[in-house]
Every structure is written in C-alpha cells, then in structure tokens.
C-alpha cells in the first residue's frame, strides 16, 4: 500500500471578548491570556507547536495536523496484476 500525508486544521486558540483576550479552544487550561502573544507562548510551552494560522476577523488560531493515511493500490486483473 502507498501512503500520503493528510492535513487537517485544528482550532487551538479562540478570542474571548472584550479586547484581546485568548483561551485554549479545547478547554485544557482555564487561563485567560491577556494578549495573543501570551496565548501563543502558552500554547508553545504546552504543546511545542510553532506554526500558527491566525484569522483575525474570526478570532481564531489554528494549527495544521498531519497524519499518514494508507491509499489502497488499485489492481486490474485484465492486465495480469492480480
């Protein structure tokens, strides 16, 4: 079987109004960080991720998770591959 990398965005931080306050989206920590920089540092210290995708209008921060998935190889009996 062949494998390929599957990428999926995962929400990790979300903004809590009013202002620039942030929390972990999964609720694993109850801290409310007073700025985006503090929240990114908190996530880095906890999980080690350094590549973030920020959507300012939505108030979200996401990361990309990658996993290897098996791709079945299609074989054709017509050509004697079976």
């Amino acid at each position: 079987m062949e494998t390929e990398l599957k990428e999926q965005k995962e929400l990790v931080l979300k903004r809590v109004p009013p202002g620039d306050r942030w929390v972990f989206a999964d609720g694993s920590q109850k801290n409310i960080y007073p700025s985006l920089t503090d929240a990114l540092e908190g996530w880095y210290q906890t999980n080690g991720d350094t590549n973030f995708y920020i959507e300012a209008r939505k108030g979200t921060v996401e990361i990309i998770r990658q996993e290897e998935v098996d791709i079945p190889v299609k074989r054709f009996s017509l050509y004697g591959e079976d």
Side-chain angles (χ1 to χ4, degrees):
M1 280 202 179
E2 294 182 21
T3 62
E4 74 176 5
L5 282 179
K6 181 180 177 185
E7 294 184 344
Q8 185 172 354
K9 283 186 177 180
E10 178 182 337
L11 179 66
V12 293
L13 298 170
K14 59 184 179 180
R15 191 177 71 81
V16 179
D20 186 32
R21 302 177 328 149
W22 296 81
V23 296
F24 282 22
D26 63 3
S28 62
Q29 288 192 8
K30 301 300 179 199
N31 295 350
I32 297 178
Y33 294 94
S35 70
L36 178 57
T37 304
D38 290 334
L40 293 174
E41 176 66 18
W43 185 264
Y44 170 73
Q45 292 295 329
T46 304
N47 298 293
D49 296 310
T50 57
N51 293 324
F52 300 98
Y53 300 90
I54 300 168
E55 294 212 24
R57 188 173 298 265
K58 286 175 45 179
T60 62
V61 176
E62 298 173 317
I63 59 172
I64 299 290
R65 293 275 185 211
Q66 293 182 341
E67 67 176 301
E68 282 190 7
V69 292
D70 291 330
I71 302 172
V73 177
K74 190 172 185 179
R75 297 190 175 273
F76 299 92
S77 59
L78 174 69
Y79 302 116
E81 295 175 345
D82 265 347

